[in-house]
Amino acid sequence: MTYTPRELAAELGYTNESRPGLVVRKYLRVKYPTHTGLWELDEAQADDVRANVPRAS
């Protein structure tokens, strides 16, 4: 299974963003600076996002 930044952001409670998934994409750009194109995250990458991007308050 793969995940998109939008899906992970919603899972973390970021439901009112003007650009859905932006908080996750910002994290991913720092973690994987050479990545280009669309983000399709595997389970390990999704778990990393879940562990390192704080839940929305």
Side-chain angles (χ1 to χ4, degrees), residues 1-3 7-8 15-17 21 23 28-30 32 36 38 41 43 45-46 48-49 51-52 54 56-57:
M1 178 168 187
T2 60
Y3 300 87
E7 291 169 331
L8 289 171
T15 56
N16 294 323
E17 291 181 300
V23 68
L28 293 170
R29 286 184 195 122
V30 171
Y32 305 101
T36 58
L38 296 176
L41 307 173
E43 193 68 45
Q45 291 168 317
D48 177 63
V49 168
N52 291 290
S57 51

Side-chain angles (χ1 to χ4, degrees), residues 3 12 14 16 24 33 46 50 56-57:
Y3 300 87
L12 294 171
Y14 294 91
N16 294 323
V24 173
R50 290 179 187 113
S57 51

Side-chain angles (χ1 to χ4, degrees), residues 12 21 30-31 42 47 49 53-55:
L12 294 171
V30 171
K31 177 100 178 170
D42 62 25
D47 286 343
V49 168
V53 175
R55 292 195 161 271

